[in-house]
Every structure is written in C-alpha cells, then in structure tokens.
Amino acid sequence: MTDVRTVSDAAFEDWQRALNTGFLRPPVLTPEQVAARRLLPGRRLGAFDGDRCVATFRSFDQELTAVGGAPVPADAISNVTVSPTHRRRGLLSRMMRADLAAARDRGDVVATLIAAEYPIYGRYGFGPATSTTEWTVDVPRAGLDPRWSGPADGGRIDLVDAEDVRKLGPELHERFRRAQPGAVSRHELWWQTNTGALRLGGDWTEPFFAVYRSAGGEVEGLVSYESDDKWHGKQPQNTADVNWLLTTTPAAERALWRYLCSIDWITKVRSGWRGPDDLLPLHLPDPRAARVTEHADWLWVRILDVVRALEARTYDREGALVLEVVDEGGFGGGRFRLTASAEGASCTPAAAEGADLTLEIGELARLWLGDESAMRLAALGLVQEEREGAARKADALFRSPGRPWCPDLF
C-alpha cells in the first residue's frame, strides 16, 4: 500500500528528487539547491512506496484579489507530480482531497493553481478563472518615433540593480494587487528568486531592471527583461524578452513599453504573460505590429466556501439569483440565494426556493472572478437555466468591467 503523508525533513531530498522526476528535470540536485528549496514556504505531502517518494504535492498560504479589491484567503497548490511508475493509482486524488479538506478547515475561501495540463483539475472542482496572452512586437513595423528619448509626462525611467528591485518591488506589488482582480500575494522569497538572491537551480542570468518614477518621484512601474544577441548581414536582429512588467498607472505602463521598444538593436519585444485585455497593442501607432504568440488558460480556482466567496466580491448592479451549486467534492454544494447591489452582497442557503441556475462548482469559479459569461457556459451545456433569462441576469451581476489577470506562476 502506497502511503500518503506529510514530508519530514529527512524525506525532503527524496521528495525533491521525485518532484524533478515528475517534471522531467534531472533528478539529482546539488546540496546548495536542496538547501535553497527547503526555504520555500508551504505544506508538503508525498506518496511513498516503501522508502521511495513517488508523488509530490505542496500548498501554501496565499491571498487572491476578488472583484472589487478584497483579499480572499486561498490555498495555493503547486509542485504536483506523480512518478511515471505509479500513475493512474489515485495518488493525486488522495493528496488533493486531504489538502482541500485541511484548507476548508483552516478557513480558506478558495484554492488556486496553475495547471500544467488542462484536463486534470476539473474533476476536483477547479475551473479556469483567468487567461494569459503573450504578444511579440515587430518594433520596426510599430510606427514609433525613433527620436523618443524618455517620457514626456515629467516622469523618468532609470536602470536599477537587483538590490533596488528587492527594496522597491514589494510595496509596488501590494498597490498593484489590491486593484487587480485575479492577482495573488507574493512571499518575500519571490523577490529573492526573481532577482538572483536565492537560486533554486540551473544557471542564473542577470536580467536588466528598469524603474519608472512619476513626476512626483513615486515608483509606479518596474520591468525585468533579457536580450539575446543575434545579427544577420551586419544588421541587429535582437529580441527583448520581458520576464515581468508591473505597473500601477497607465502612464507607467505606456512609458515602460515605449522604453523597451526604443532600445537600440532591439527589433522584437516579447511581452511575457500579460492580461488578455492588456493595452500593449494599442500603445503602438500600428497595433498589428503586436502579434499574439500565445493565449491560454492560467489561474484555476476552486471555491471552498460559496457564501464567503460570493459575499467577498463587489457587484455593479442590483439583483438576486438562486444558484444550485453541484459539488461532488463535498465542500461547497447546495442551493444559495445571492442578493447583490453596489452597496454589498449577501449569500444565504435557499433550500426551499426554486433555482434560477444549476452549475458545477468549477463553473461558478469561472463566473466568480468576472471573466466568463453564464450565457456562453449555458450554450456549452455547462450551466443549466432553470428559469428563462437567468443566464443573462447572471452575466449582468458577475461580469467585471476589466478582465481578471494573474501575472504569477507558482
């Protein structure tokens, strides 16, 4: 019998070997890499066949920003693997059930993850709640003024070092995530691993860092980027790859994209993971110069407490819906009346009332962050209208004016 249990300090290195095996990485780590990875926060589960770890699972505390800006306690799930010798034996299901039950007992409202493969997590009640888009900008085609030398709004852009980013970044990110539905909190180790202070494995290449300061001197944007070195026929063909770009104002976003497109020898800019409604193409005189090179689902959400989740977010319109929520996992099912207005919302059990909509808990997660349409889900057969017009009514309540976005991989 394969045993699922909390990973002890003594078993950590074997757990890490199994994690690397599952992700097809070299299984052997240096002592320095093992020591660095011990610092990552969280709760680790492993499946052990005898003394050997054959499946891995980690979760950690997180906050997810709901529509309207409220931080919601979340159980962030990562490092999920099953070794190829032990697949299709229910090991992931055992670890997932144990973790979600513990998260609900702790009072977490949702669970979150980034899915490596699409088909896996729907059966555990997760739904794809945000998406991500990457653009590649053909700089010569963009029509930008080559004489540009800096922002015209009184702000300025400066190159900074990694140490500066560790000082400036956390406060900037806090301001950003409070205003962005779908954004998640970052542990201080995020800043260390993304600036080279903590190296979890592989070779580290120091990126360039640039900061945008407003005319009043306030930090409103940071970007991390790298460049290759390609020439053809004595002509530069270099690409700037954005690792991450974080801003709190439209002026900062506009200035940093303009800066990246103005660097000498750069003929292409790859945007990295951006929100699906990012303004990048529209910052260019010719928006067609920004070509979508990747678009996919990103943050998956599993609602653990329907009442607290629906009451945490804001609603721009007044209305009421009775939702029949089906949850085979046993955490969030039932019939609920949502009564919402611009002043707030209440969600109460409504077993005696007739339902307006019937939907799985994963489909509710897709609606909760405001990105998906109940009418689309109804057309796909994923939401059932019990009363005519209920899907349209749900869209009027749930859809948000801006699309949710999670810039983080975890």
Side-chain angles (χ1 to χ4, degrees), residues 62 64 77 112-118 121 126-134 181-184 186 243 272-276 294-301 369 371 403-410:
Q62 185 186 75
L64 170 64
I77 295 171
T112 61
L113 56 80
I114 309 293
E117 297 180 63
Y118 194 98
Y121 295 101
F126 287 83
T130 79
S131 58
T132 185
T133 303
E134 181 186 67
V184 297
R186 287 178 179 173
N243 298 318
W273 299 312
R274 306 297 301 169
E294 184 174 353
H295 178 80
D297 58 283
W298 195 247
L299 184 74
W300 288 58
V301 172
L369 272 181
D371 199 38
R403 300 183 69 177
W405 175 43
C406 176
D408 289 57
L409 174 67
F410 56 88

mmCIF file of all heavy atoms in Angstrom, residues 62 64 77 112-118 121 126-134 181-184 186 243 272-276 294-301 369 371 403-410:
data_model
loop_
_atom_site.group_PDB
_atom_site.id
_atom_site.type_symbol
_atom_site.label_atom_id
_atom_site.label_comp_id
_atom_site.label_asym_id
_atom_site.label_seq_id
_atom_site.Cartn_x
_atom_site.Cartn_y
_atom_site.Cartn_z
ATOM 1 N N GLN A 62 -1.927 31.958 0.663
ATOM 2 C CA GLN A 62 -1.935 32.972 -0.382
ATOM 3 C C GLN A 62 -3.169 33.851 -0.195
ATOM 4 O O GLN A 62 -4.131 33.452 0.474
ATOM 5 C CB GLN A 62 -1.984 32.279 -1.751
ATOM 6 C CG GLN A 62 -1.888 33.168 -2.976
ATOM 7 C CD GLN A 62 -2.089 32.345 -4.245
ATOM 8 O OE1 GLN A 62 -3.208 31.957 -4.575
ATOM 9 N NE2 GLN A 62 -1.003 32.058 -4.949
ATOM 10 N N LEU A 64 -5.878 35.984 -2.720
ATOM 11 C CA LEU A 64 -6.331 36.213 -4.089
ATOM 12 C C LEU A 64 -7.252 37.428 -4.084
ATOM 13 O O LEU A 64 -8.148 37.530 -3.240
ATOM 14 C CB LEU A 64 -7.085 34.982 -4.604
ATOM 15 C CG LEU A 64 -7.834 35.114 -5.933
ATOM 16 C CD1 LEU A 64 -6.867 35.362 -7.076
ATOM 17 C CD2 LEU A 64 -8.662 33.856 -6.197
ATOM 18 N N ILE A 77 -1.816 25.786 -4.585
ATOM 19 C CA ILE A 77 -1.326 24.425 -4.803
ATOM 20 C C ILE A 77 -0.267 24.435 -5.897
ATOM 21 O O ILE A 77 -0.426 25.069 -6.933
ATOM 22 C CB ILE A 77 -2.494 23.498 -5.173
ATOM 23 C CG1 ILE A 77 -3.454 23.381 -3.984
ATOM 24 C CG2 ILE A 77 -2.000 22.120 -5.619
ATOM 25 C CD1 ILE A 77 -4.752 22.672 -4.314
ATOM 26 N N THR A 112 -6.208 27.641 -5.308
ATOM 27 C CA THR A 112 -5.738 28.126 -6.604
ATOM 28 C C THR A 112 -4.599 27.246 -7.102
ATOM 29 O O THR A 112 -3.883 26.619 -6.313
ATOM 30 C CB THR A 112 -5.225 29.578 -6.511
ATOM 31 O OG1 THR A 112 -4.126 29.621 -5.584
ATOM 32 C CG2 THR A 112 -6.320 30.520 -6.027
ATOM 33 N N LEU A 113 -4.415 27.235 -8.410
ATOM 34 C CA LEU A 113 -3.264 26.558 -9.010
ATOM 35 C C LEU A 113 -3.102 27.021 -10.452
ATOM 36 O O LEU A 113 -4.007 27.601 -11.049
ATOM 37 C CB LEU A 113 -3.408 25.031 -8.938
ATOM 38 C CG LEU A 113 -4.646 24.360 -9.536
ATOM 39 C CD1 LEU A 113 -4.556 24.195 -11.050
ATOM 40 C CD2 LEU A 113 -4.874 22.998 -8.903
ATOM 41 N N ILE A 114 -1.924 26.770 -11.006
ATOM 42 C CA ILE A 114 -1.646 26.941 -12.434
ATOM 43 C C ILE A 114 -1.530 25.543 -13.019
ATOM 44 O O ILE A 114 -0.650 24.775 -12.615
ATOM 45 C CB ILE A 114 -0.345 27.739 -12.683
ATOM 46 C CG1 ILE A 114 -0.327 29.043 -11.882
ATOM 47 C CG2 ILE A 114 -0.165 27.990 -14.178
ATOM 48 C CD1 ILE A 114 -1.349 30.064 -12.293
ATOM 49 N N ALA A 115 -2.400 25.189 -13.942
ATOM 50 C CA ALA A 115 -2.468 23.814 -14.431
ATOM 51 C C ALA A 115 -1.456 23.576 -15.548
ATOM 52 O O ALA A 115 -1.485 24.261 -16.576
ATOM 53 C CB ALA A 115 -3.872 23.504 -14.936
ATOM 54 N N ALA A 116 -0.580 22.593 -15.364
ATOM 55 C CA ALA A 116 0.344 22.208 -16.429
ATOM 56 C C ALA A 116 -0.416 21.543 -17.577
ATOM 57 O O ALA A 116 -0.065 21.716 -18.738
ATOM 58 C CB ALA A 116 1.414 21.265 -15.880
ATOM 59 N N GLU A 117 -1.470 20.795 -17.243
ATOM 60 C CA GLU A 117 -2.291 20.138 -18.255
ATOM 61 C C GLU A 117 -3.753 20.473 -17.998
ATOM 62 O O GLU A 117 -4.214 20.444 -16.843
ATOM 63 C CB GLU A 117 -2.082 18.623 -18.225
ATOM 64 C CG GLU A 117 -0.670 18.185 -18.568
ATOM 65 C CD GLU A 117 -0.530 16.671 -18.514
ATOM 66 O OE1 GLU A 117 -1.200 15.995 -19.318
ATOM 67 O OE2 GLU A 117 0.224 16.181 -17.670
ATOM 68 N N TYR A 118 -4.492 20.766 -19.039
ATOM 69 C CA TYR A 118 -5.877 21.235 -18.897
ATOM 70 C C TYR A 118 -6.822 20.197 -18.289
ATOM 71 O O TYR A 118 -7.646 20.541 -17.428
ATOM 72 C CB TYR A 118 -6.403 21.695 -20.260
ATOM 73 C CG TYR A 118 -7.677 22.498 -20.180
ATOM 74 C CD1 TYR A 118 -7.645 23.886 -20.209
ATOM 75 C CD2 TYR A 118 -8.920 21.874 -20.068
ATOM 76 C CE1 TYR A 118 -8.810 24.635 -20.122
ATOM 77 C CE2 TYR A 118 -10.085 22.608 -19.984
ATOM 78 C CZ TYR A 118 -10.020 24.000 -20.014
ATOM 79 O OH TYR A 118 -11.173 24.731 -19.915
ATOM 80 N N TYR A 121 -7.665 19.012 -13.567
ATOM 81 C CA TYR A 121 -8.157 19.568 -12.304
ATOM 82 C C TYR A 121 -9.649 19.860 -12.262
ATOM 83 O O TYR A 121 -10.187 20.137 -11.195
ATOM 84 C CB TYR A 121 -7.356 20.820 -11.952
ATOM 85 C CG TYR A 121 -5.907 20.478 -11.681
ATOM 86 C CD1 TYR A 121 -4.932 20.694 -12.647
ATOM 87 C CD2 TYR A 121 -5.535 19.881 -10.485
ATOM 88 C CE1 TYR A 121 -3.613 20.348 -12.415
ATOM 89 C CE2 TYR A 121 -4.228 19.526 -10.246
ATOM 90 C CZ TYR A 121 -3.255 19.756 -11.207
ATOM 91 O OH TYR A 121 -1.959 19.400 -10.975
ATOM 92 N N PHE A 126 -12.040 22.509 -9.730
ATOM 93 C CA PHE A 126 -11.384 23.728 -10.187
ATOM 94 C C PHE A 126 -11.962 24.157 -11.536
ATOM 95 O O PHE A 126 -12.357 23.319 -12.359
ATOM 96 C CB PHE A 126 -9.876 23.509 -10.358
ATOM 97 C CG PHE A 126 -9.120 23.395 -9.070
ATOM 98 C CD1 PHE A 126 -9.045 22.188 -8.386
ATOM 99 C CD2 PHE A 126 -8.467 24.497 -8.530
ATOM 100 C CE1 PHE A 126 -8.345 22.071 -7.203
ATOM 101 C CE2 PHE A 126 -7.768 24.394 -7.343
ATOM 102 C CZ PHE A 126 -7.703 23.181 -6.671
ATOM 103 N N GLY A 127 -11.966 25.466 -11.762
ATOM 104 C CA GLY A 127 -12.357 25.996 -13.056
ATOM 105 C C GLY A 127 -11.353 27.037 -13.519
ATOM 106 O O GLY A 127 -10.794 27.777 -12.688
ATOM 107 N N PRO A 128 -11.081 27.135 -14.828
ATOM 108 C CA PRO A 128 -10.149 28.147 -15.331
ATOM 109 C C PRO A 128 -10.773 29.536 -15.209
ATOM 110 O O PRO A 128 -11.730 29.857 -15.903
ATOM 111 C CB PRO A 128 -9.929 27.738 -16.788
ATOM 112 C CG PRO A 128 -11.176 26.971 -17.151
ATOM 113 C CD PRO A 128 -11.641 26.298 -15.903
ATOM 114 N N ALA A 129 -10.214 30.361 -14.314
ATOM 115 C CA ALA A 129 -10.851 31.629 -13.969
ATOM 116 C C ALA A 129 -10.164 32.836 -14.587
ATOM 117 O O ALA A 129 -10.735 33.922 -14.609
ATOM 118 C CB ALA A 129 -10.890 31.798 -12.445
ATOM 119 N N THR A 130 -8.925 32.690 -15.052
ATOM 120 C CA THR A 130 -8.254 33.768 -15.777
ATOM 121 C C THR A 130 -7.494 33.157 -16.952
ATOM 122 O O THR A 130 -7.233 31.957 -16.986
ATOM 123 C CB THR A 130 -7.255 34.571 -14.915
ATOM 124 O OG1 THR A 130 -6.020 33.836 -14.787
ATOM 125 C CG2 THR A 130 -7.811 34.883 -13.540
ATOM 126 N N SER A 131 -7.125 34.001 -17.888
ATOM 127 C CA SER A 131 -6.288 33.574 -19.010
ATOM 128 C C SER A 131 -5.114 34.522 -19.161
ATOM 129 O O SER A 131 -5.062 35.585 -18.519
ATOM 130 C CB SER A 131 -7.100 33.510 -20.315
ATOM 131 O OG SER A 131 -7.675 34.763 -20.606
ATOM 132 N N THR A 132 -4.179 34.136 -19.994
ATOM 133 C CA THR A 132 -2.994 34.953 -20.210
ATOM 134 C C THR A 132 -2.690 35.020 -21.696
ATOM 135 O O THR A 132 -3.012 34.090 -22.458
ATOM 136 C CB THR A 132 -1.780 34.366 -19.451
ATOM 137 O OG1 THR A 132 -0.660 35.236 -19.577
ATOM 138 C CG2 THR A 132 -1.385 33.013 -19.998
ATOM 139 N N THR A 133 -2.081 36.119 -22.106
ATOM 140 C CA THR A 133 -1.756 36.339 -23.515
ATOM 141 C C THR A 133 -0.333 36.874 -23.620
ATOM 142 O O THR A 133 0.090 37.694 -22.798
ATOM 143 C CB THR A 133 -2.726 37.352 -24.155
ATOM 144 O OG1 THR A 133 -4.067 36.875 -24.007
ATOM 145 C CG2 THR A 133 -2.425 37.549 -25.631
ATOM 146 N N GLU A 134 0.406 36.379 -24.606
ATOM 147 C CA GLU A 134 1.734 36.917 -24.899
ATOM 148 C C GLU A 134 1.712 37.523 -26.303
ATOM 149 O O GLU A 134 1.175 36.922 -27.233
ATOM 150 C CB GLU A 134 2.810 35.827 -24.842
ATOM 151 C CG GLU A 134 4.197 36.370 -25.120
ATOM 152 C CD GLU A 134 5.255 35.275 -25.221
ATOM 153 O OE1 GLU A 134 5.201 34.466 -26.171
ATOM 154 O OE2 GLU A 134 6.130 35.235 -24.342
ATOM 155 N N PRO A 181 -8.215 42.322 -9.911
ATOM 156 C CA PRO A 181 -8.841 41.024 -9.665
ATOM 157 C C PRO A 181 -8.045 39.900 -10.316
ATOM 158 O O PRO A 181 -7.597 40.024 -11.457
ATOM 159 C CB PRO A 181 -10.225 41.171 -10.313
ATOM 160 C CG PRO A 181 -10.474 42.640 -10.338
ATOM 161 C CD PRO A 181 -9.140 43.287 -10.543
ATOM 162 N N GLY A 182 -7.876 38.819 -9.566
ATOM 163 C CA GLY A 182 -7.107 37.684 -10.061
ATOM 164 C C GLY A 182 -5.659 37.689 -9.650
ATOM 165 O O GLY A 182 -4.976 36.665 -9.776
ATOM 166 N N ALA A 183 -5.149 38.823 -9.166
ATOM 167 C CA ALA A 183 -3.760 38.890 -8.711
ATOM 168 C C ALA A 183 -3.624 38.181 -7.365
ATOM 169 O O ALA A 183 -4.579 38.089 -6.592
ATOM 170 C CB ALA A 183 -3.302 40.339 -8.600
ATOM 171 N N VAL A 184 -2.427 37.695 -7.094
ATOM 172 C CA VAL A 184 -2.179 36.962 -5.850
ATOM 173 C C VAL A 184 -1.028 37.605 -5.089
ATOM 174 O O VAL A 184 -0.210 38.340 -5.651
ATOM 175 C CB VAL A 184 -1.861 35.480 -6.123
ATOM 176 C CG1 VAL A 184 -3.040 34.779 -6.775
ATOM 177 C CG2 VAL A 184 -0.604 35.325 -6.986
ATOM 178 N N ARG A 186 2.508 37.820 -2.968
ATOM 179 C CA ARG A 186 3.845 37.269 -3.207
ATOM 180 C C ARG A 186 4.612 37.184 -1.888
ATOM 181 O O ARG A 186 4.700 38.161 -1.149
ATOM 182 C CB ARG A 186 4.635 38.149 -4.179
ATOM 183 C CG ARG A 186 4.167 38.056 -5.616
ATOM 184 C CD ARG A 186 4.960 38.979 -6.520
ATOM 185 N NE ARG A 186 4.518 38.859 -7.909
ATOM 186 C CZ ARG A 186 4.946 39.640 -8.900
ATOM 187 N NH1 ARG A 186 5.797 40.639 -8.643
ATOM 188 N NH2 ARG A 186 4.497 39.466 -10.136
ATOM 189 N N ASN A 243 10.559 39.395 -18.626
ATOM 190 C CA ASN A 243 10.279 38.416 -17.570
ATOM 191 C C ASN A 243 9.010 38.796 -16.818
ATOM 192 O O ASN A 243 8.166 37.947 -16.543
ATOM 193 C CB ASN A 243 11.451 38.338 -16.597
ATOM 194 C CG ASN A 243 12.734 37.886 -17.255
ATOM 195 O OD1 ASN A 243 12.721 36.974 -18.078
ATOM 196 N ND2 ASN A 243 13.848 38.517 -16.926
ATOM 197 N N GLY A 272 5.977 38.540 -22.568
ATOM 198 C CA GLY A 272 5.760 37.703 -21.395
ATOM 199 C C GLY A 272 4.271 37.583 -21.120
ATOM 200 O O GLY A 272 3.417 37.995 -21.904
ATOM 201 N N TRP A 273 3.906 36.989 -19.972
ATOM 202 C CA TRP A 273 2.499 36.718 -19.655
ATOM 203 C C TRP A 273 1.796 38.005 -19.269
ATOM 204 O O TRP A 273 2.130 38.653 -18.276
ATOM 205 C CB TRP A 273 2.409 35.710 -18.515
ATOM 206 C CG TRP A 273 3.023 34.394 -18.827
ATOM 207 C CD1 TRP A 273 2.841 33.646 -19.955
ATOM 208 C CD2 TRP A 273 3.946 33.664 -18.016
ATOM 209 N NE1 TRP A 273 3.572 32.486 -19.891
ATOM 210 C CE2 TRP A 273 4.262 32.472 -18.706
ATOM 211 C CE3 TRP A 273 4.518 33.873 -16.769
ATOM 212 C CZ2 TRP A 273 5.127 31.512 -18.193
ATOM 213 C CZ3 TRP A 273 5.381 32.929 -16.251
ATOM 214 C CH2 TRP A 273 5.676 31.761 -16.961
ATOM 215 N N ARG A 274 0.780 38.363 -20.028
ATOM 216 C CA ARG A 274 0.014 39.578 -19.781
ATOM 217 C C ARG A 274 -1.482 39.244 -19.684
ATOM 218 O O ARG A 274 -1.915 38.170 -20.103
ATOM 219 C CB ARG A 274 0.212 40.590 -20.917
ATOM 220 C CG ARG A 274 1.649 40.942 -21.223
ATOM 221 C CD ARG A 274 2.331 41.621 -20.048
ATOM 222 N NE ARG A 274 1.639 42.848 -19.655
ATOM 223 C CZ ARG A 274 1.919 43.499 -18.525
ATOM 224 N NH1 ARG A 274 2.822 43.042 -17.669
ATOM 225 N NH2 ARG A 274 1.266 44.623 -18.238
ATOM 226 N N GLY A 275 -2.242 40.195 -19.178
ATOM 227 C CA GLY A 275 -3.682 40.022 -19.162
ATOM 228 C C GLY A 275 -4.233 39.999 -20.568
ATOM 229 O O GLY A 275 -3.688 40.626 -21.481
ATOM 230 N N PRO A 276 -5.343 39.289 -20.801
ATOM 231 C CA PRO A 276 -5.879 39.162 -22.170
ATOM 232 C C PRO A 276 -6.390 40.473 -22.744
ATOM 233 O O PRO A 276 -6.534 40.587 -23.965
ATOM 234 C CB PRO A 276 -7.016 38.142 -22.007
ATOM 235 C CG PRO A 276 -7.409 38.244 -20.574
ATOM 236 C CD PRO A 276 -6.150 38.546 -19.822
ATOM 237 N N GLU A 294 0.864 33.609 -27.982
ATOM 238 C CA GLU A 294 0.382 32.578 -27.062
ATOM 239 C C GLU A 294 -0.848 33.111 -26.341
ATOM 240 O O GLU A 294 -0.901 34.276 -25.939
ATOM 241 C CB GLU A 294 1.449 32.195 -26.038
ATOM 242 C CG GLU A 294 1.040 31.059 -25.126
ATOM 243 C CD GLU A 294 2.153 30.587 -24.204
ATOM 244 O OE1 GLU A 294 3.294 31.062 -24.373
ATOM 245 O OE2 GLU A 294 1.878 29.771 -23.331
ATOM 246 N N HIS A 295 -1.832 32.255 -26.191
ATOM 247 C CA HIS A 295 -3.014 32.592 -25.395
ATOM 248 C C HIS A 295 -3.517 31.304 -24.775
ATOM 249 O O HIS A 295 -3.714 30.309 -25.477
ATOM 250 C CB HIS A 295 -4.116 33.231 -26.247
ATOM 251 C CG HIS A 295 -5.352 33.536 -25.453
ATOM 252 N ND1 HIS A 295 -5.461 34.640 -24.650
ATOM 253 C CD2 HIS A 295 -6.523 32.848 -25.319
ATOM 254 C CE1 HIS A 295 -6.644 34.651 -24.059
ATOM 255 N NE2 HIS A 295 -7.298 33.575 -24.446
ATOM 256 N N ALA A 296 -3.713 31.299 -23.448
ATOM 257 C CA ALA A 296 -4.098 30.061 -22.782
ATOM 258 C C ALA A 296 -4.756 30.369 -21.441
ATOM 259 O O ALA A 296 -4.673 31.484 -20.925
ATOM 260 C CB ALA A 296 -2.875 29.174 -22.567
ATOM 261 N N ASP A 297 -5.429 29.344 -20.903
ATOM 262 C CA ASP A 297 -5.925 29.440 -19.540
ATOM 263 C C ASP A 297 -4.748 29.625 -18.585
ATOM 264 O O ASP A 297 -3.619 29.226 -18.887
ATOM 265 C CB ASP A 297 -6.681 28.157 -19.174
ATOM 266 C CG ASP A 297 -5.798 26.921 -19.305
ATOM 267 O OD1 ASP A 297 -5.580 26.474 -20.458
ATOM 268 O OD2 ASP A 297 -5.309 26.412 -18.285
ATOM 269 N N TRP A 298 -5.019 30.220 -17.427
ATOM 270 C CA TRP A 298 -3.913 30.473 -16.486
ATOM 271 C C TRP A 298 -4.305 30.072 -15.076
ATOM 272 O O TRP A 298 -4.146 28.933 -14.679
ATOM 273 C CB TRP A 298 -3.458 31.930 -16.584
ATOM 274 C CG TRP A 298 -2.139 32.183 -15.932
ATOM 275 C CD1 TRP A 298 -1.896 32.940 -14.820
ATOM 276 C CD2 TRP A 298 -0.868 31.656 -16.333
ATOM 277 N NE1 TRP A 298 -0.561 32.941 -14.518
ATOM 278 C CE2 TRP A 298 0.094 32.147 -15.428
ATOM 279 C CE3 TRP A 298 -0.465 30.817 -17.360
ATOM 280 C CZ2 TRP A 298 1.452 31.827 -15.522
ATOM 281 C CZ3 TRP A 298 0.878 30.494 -17.461
ATOM 282 C CH2 TRP A 298 1.819 30.996 -16.555
ATOM 283 N N LEU A 299 -4.871 30.990 -14.300
ATOM 284 C CA LEU A 299 -5.198 30.671 -12.912
ATOM 285 C C LEU A 299 -6.485 29.857 -12.839
ATOM 286 O O LEU A 299 -7.518 30.258 -13.365
ATOM 287 C CB LEU A 299 -5.352 31.963 -12.104
ATOM 288 C CG LEU A 299 -5.608 31.774 -10.600
ATOM 289 C CD1 LEU A 299 -4.330 31.327 -9.902
ATOM 290 C CD2 LEU A 299 -6.148 33.049 -9.970
ATOM 291 N N TRP A 300 -6.414 28.718 -12.162
ATOM 292 C CA TRP A 300 -7.585 27.895 -11.888
ATOM 293 C C TRP A 300 -7.989 28.098 -10.429
ATOM 294 O O TRP A 300 -7.131 28.169 -9.548
ATOM 295 C CB TRP A 300 -7.287 26.415 -12.148
ATOM 296 C CG TRP A 300 -7.148 26.066 -13.603
ATOM 297 C CD1 TRP A 300 -6.257 26.598 -14.495
ATOM 298 C CD2 TRP A 300 -7.906 25.101 -14.325
ATOM 299 N NE1 TRP A 300 -6.423 26.030 -15.723
ATOM 300 C CE2 TRP A 300 -7.423 25.094 -15.654
ATOM 301 C CE3 TRP A 300 -8.940 24.236 -13.976
ATOM 302 C CZ2 TRP A 300 -7.959 24.262 -16.635
ATOM 303 C CZ3 TRP A 300 -9.471 23.390 -14.952
ATOM 304 C CH2 TRP A 300 -8.990 23.418 -16.272
ATOM 305 N N VAL A 301 -9.293 28.185 -10.200
ATOM 306 C CA VAL A 301 -9.816 28.461 -8.862
ATOM 307 C C VAL A 301 -10.801 27.363 -8.475
ATOM 308 O O VAL A 301 -11.619 26.920 -9.288
ATOM 309 C CB VAL A 301 -10.499 29.839 -8.808
ATOM 310 C CG1 VAL A 301 -11.209 30.052 -7.465
ATOM 311 C CG2 VAL A 301 -9.475 30.953 -9.047
ATOM 312 N N LEU A 369 -14.785 35.332 -10.747
ATOM 313 C CA LEU A 369 -13.797 36.384 -10.999
ATOM 314 C C LEU A 369 -14.201 37.315 -12.141
ATOM 315 O O LEU A 369 -13.457 38.234 -12.483
ATOM 316 C CB LEU A 369 -12.409 35.786 -11.274
ATOM 317 C CG LEU A 369 -11.535 35.534 -10.052
ATOM 318 C CD1 LEU A 369 -10.186 34.957 -10.457
ATOM 319 C CD2 LEU A 369 -11.328 36.797 -9.224
ATOM 320 N N ASP A 371 -14.702 36.811 -15.461
ATOM 321 C CA ASP A 371 -14.160 36.730 -16.814
ATOM 322 C C ASP A 371 -15.046 35.944 -17.770
ATOM 323 O O ASP A 371 -15.033 36.193 -18.966
ATOM 324 C CB ASP A 371 -12.769 36.093 -16.783
ATOM 325 C CG ASP A 371 -11.959 36.393 -18.034
ATOM 326 O OD1 ASP A 371 -12.068 37.526 -18.535
ATOM 327 O OD2 ASP A 371 -11.229 35.507 -18.504
ATOM 328 N N ARG A 403 -10.928 42.626 -17.236
ATOM 329 C CA ARG A 403 -10.755 41.179 -17.104
ATOM 330 C C ARG A 403 -9.760 40.856 -16.000
ATOM 331 O O ARG A 403 -8.770 41.565 -15.792
ATOM 332 C CB ARG A 403 -10.309 40.578 -18.434
ATOM 333 C CG ARG A 403 -11.305 40.809 -19.547
ATOM 334 C CD ARG A 403 -10.884 40.138 -20.837
ATOM 335 N NE ARG A 403 -10.946 38.680 -20.743
ATOM 336 C CZ ARG A 403 -10.685 37.866 -21.760
ATOM 337 N NH1 ARG A 403 -10.361 38.378 -22.940
ATOM 338 N NH2 ARG A 403 -10.757 36.564 -21.614
ATOM 339 N N PRO A 404 -10.012 39.792 -15.234
ATOM 340 C CA PRO A 404 -9.062 39.405 -14.181
ATOM 341 C C PRO A 404 -7.753 38.937 -14.796
ATOM 342 O O PRO A 404 -7.721 38.428 -15.921
ATOM 343 C CB PRO A 404 -9.788 38.269 -13.454
ATOM 344 C CG PRO A 404 -10.687 37.680 -14.494
ATOM 345 C CD PRO A 404 -11.124 38.837 -15.351
ATOM 346 N N TRP A 405 -6.687 39.103 -14.020
ATOM 347 C CA TRP A 405 -5.355 38.707 -14.511
ATOM 348 C C TRP A 405 -4.484 38.317 -13.343
ATOM 349 O O TRP A 405 -4.433 39.020 -12.329
ATOM 350 C CB TRP A 405 -4.721 39.887 -15.272
ATOM 351 C CG TRP A 405 -3.306 39.639 -15.709
ATOM 352 C CD1 TRP A 405 -2.792 38.512 -16.266
ATOM 353 C CD2 TRP A 405 -2.209 40.554 -15.593
ATOM 354 N NE1 TRP A 405 -1.460 38.664 -16.540
ATOM 355 C CE2 TRP A 405 -1.070 39.916 -16.139
ATOM 356 C CE3 TRP A 405 -2.084 41.856 -15.103
ATOM 357 C CZ2 TRP A 405 0.179 40.523 -16.171
ATOM 358 C CZ3 TRP A 405 -0.840 42.463 -15.154
ATOM 359 C CH2 TRP A 405 0.267 41.803 -15.688
ATOM 360 N N CYS A 406 -3.812 37.196 -13.491
ATOM 361 C CA CYS A 406 -2.815 36.752 -12.517
ATOM 362 C C CYS A 406 -1.469 36.694 -13.231
ATOM 363 O O CYS A 406 -1.264 35.845 -14.096
ATOM 364 C CB CYS A 406 -3.170 35.358 -11.962
ATOM 365 S SG CYS A 406 -1.911 34.705 -10.829
ATOM 366 N N PRO A 407 -0.531 37.594 -12.903
ATOM 367 C CA PRO A 407 0.759 37.580 -13.595
ATOM 368 C C PRO A 407 1.743 36.542 -13.069
ATOM 369 O O PRO A 407 2.835 36.407 -13.625
ATOM 370 C CB PRO A 407 1.290 38.994 -13.331
ATOM 371 C CG PRO A 407 0.664 39.411 -12.056
ATOM 372 C CD PRO A 407 -0.681 38.752 -12.010
ATOM 373 N N ASP A 408 1.374 35.807 -12.014
ATOM 374 C CA ASP A 408 2.324 34.929 -11.340
ATOM 375 C C ASP A 408 2.194 33.473 -11.764
ATOM 376 O O ASP A 408 1.095 32.976 -11.997
ATOM 377 C CB ASP A 408 2.141 35.027 -9.829
ATOM 378 C CG ASP A 408 2.620 36.341 -9.265
ATOM 379 O OD1 ASP A 408 2.122 37.385 -9.715
ATOM 380 O OD2 ASP A 408 3.502 36.335 -8.383
ATOM 381 N N LEU A 409 3.333 32.802 -11.804
ATOM 382 C CA LEU A 409 3.417 31.356 -11.943
ATOM 383 C C LEU A 409 3.878 30.810 -10.590
ATOM 384 O O LEU A 409 4.866 31.286 -10.035
ATOM 385 C CB LEU A 409 4.406 30.973 -13.041
ATOM 386 C CG LEU A 409 4.715 29.479 -13.206
ATOM 387 C CD1 LEU A 409 3.482 28.740 -13.697
ATOM 388 C CD2 LEU A 409 5.883 29.284 -14.181
ATOM 389 N N PHE A 410 3.155 29.813 -10.067
ATOM 390 C CA PHE A 410 3.559 29.268 -8.771
ATOM 391 C C PHE A 410 3.337 27.762 -8.728
ATOM 392 O O PHE A 410 2.731 27.206 -9.604
ATOM 393 C CB PHE A 410 2.809 29.972 -7.624
ATOM 394 C CG PHE A 410 1.310 29.917 -7.729
ATOM 395 C CD1 PHE A 410 0.597 28.854 -7.200
ATOM 396 C CD2 PHE A 410 0.602 30.936 -8.358
ATOM 397 C CE1 PHE A 410 -0.782 28.809 -7.277
ATOM 398 C CE2 PHE A 410 -0.784 30.899 -8.427
ATOM 399 C CZ PHE A 410 -1.477 29.834 -7.897
#
